[in-house]
Amino acid sequence: MIAPASLDLGQAMYELMAELYPICRSITGDGLRQTLSIIQKNIPLAIHEVPTGTPVFDWTVPKEWNIHDAYVKNSHGERVIDFHKSNLHVVNYSVPVRARMGVKALKEHLHTLPDYPDWIPYRTSYYKESWGFCLSHREWLELKDGEYEVCIDSTLDDGNLSYGECYLKGRREDEVLISCHACHPSLCNDNLSGIALAVFLAKHLAGVSLEYSYRFLFIPGTIGAITWLARNRESVSKIKHGLVLANLGDPGRLTYKKSRRGNAEIDSAVMHVLKHSEQDYEVIDFVPYGYDERQYCSPGFNLPVGCLSRTPWGRFPEYHTSADNLDLVRPAALADSLAKCSMIVNLLENNGKYINQNPYCEPQLGKRGLYHAQGGKTEVKDGELAMFWLLNLSDGTHSLLDIAERAGLHFDRVEEVSQTLVEHGLLKACA
Ligand SMILES: [Zn+2]
């Protein structure tokens, strides 16, 4: 499998994000459905609808939220806050409101960022029925005394929670889970970059022969993962490796947050790829907050699921503001993130265990043409080093990645040499 890394793919991911950017998404509702139907144009996607009120572990699927319009008009009838200019202007999940009020009462429902006076904050109120508007601090300062007309034309009714699932069947029932949240409105790095990465990784994998089966989830954050886990409780043991994808479009270095287990194969695989990338990167230990790895790694499941990001959530100032827009994300960063994801998948796909068929002393490599003819040289080339390590550690317990790590060599080199040794009858793959 070749890792796709071209800038064309980065540009294509960026264009998908640009198409999805204007949609007002939430944890339920038509914006989420519209997003899933655009994803469905790119990859095979099953869209599931789970009714309001469905119990999912300690939670309940909430009422469905939809919004058509929202504004605050001044006494001249001018829209001083307008949902149609930015969907971030409305606190996501605001209950419907039609009222007139003075500026003091209005300001109790307004949210701004005084430190970034030109940016609109992103706020939600999913589980407490309330309403509010978000605006730039500069606009807030311009609000004069007088009466304002407030309208939030939203609905909060019994409906469904929607999520998308793309399943790619491999030779094995064992699965690799790739999960991303799809519930944020016009925010790019946090939300859309993970979607774009997952879509293009699925597109790539749909066209190749696979060892593992792959399950891609496009779900609303928290409640979506909880709902999916509640509905699939019996089959999650098939998940052997998993990654949550988020914040993969900014130009910062890659960051990997380990699974709760900390020593799962996915942890070793991602760290190996990052270590050999010759780029700066960071690895952080599991913490029980962040994205949906929190649910997959809750103690009852403890699945081997880590989280791959570039700059992690909360560590870039644009996070959860209107400045997390199409200018923050770059095609080159998206392409690099996709290349790393492909390398990780490639490693998992090929990380077999082998048995040395000639384990009593070293086999004579020279007569097989596997070793340089002249003795006495001091340097041992990577290929030969890989051969010695493979022959020594291929006892059915060490994977190729274990051997690459012990040898200090790139996985691809070790994997390539293992195939040569298989061809010469010196190694045999474990069943
Ligand atoms: Zn977020």
Side-chain angles (χ1 to χ4, degrees), residues 163-184:
Y163 66 84
E165 195 167 14
C166 166
Y167 179 72
L168 303 175
K169 192 159 173 34
R171 280 179 288 281
R172 288 158 67 172
E173 292 271 289
D174 291 343
E175 290 182 11
V176 179
L177 177 76
I178 305 289
S179 177
C180 63
H181 61 294
C183 54
H184 290 24

Side-chain angles (χ1 to χ4, degrees), residues 53-87:
T54 306
V56 285
F57 297 116
D58 200 36
W59 299 59
T60 306
V61 172
K63 287 181 184 170
E64 180 179 324
W65 185 71
N66 284 292
I67 183 157
H68 309 100
D69 193 10
Y71 57 82
V72 174
K73 282 183 183 172
N74 63 17
S75 55
H76 305 293
E78 297 157 342
R79 288 188 178 214
V80 292
I81 306 174
D82 186 356
F83 170 75
H84 290 298
K85 286 192 178 155
S86 167
N87 55 41

Side-chain angles (χ1 to χ4, degrees), residues 122 181 184 187 190 291 313 319-320:
Y122 163 55
H181 61 294
H184 290 24
L187 295 166
D190 178 16
Y291 292 106
W313 67 275
Y319 172 75
H320 280 190

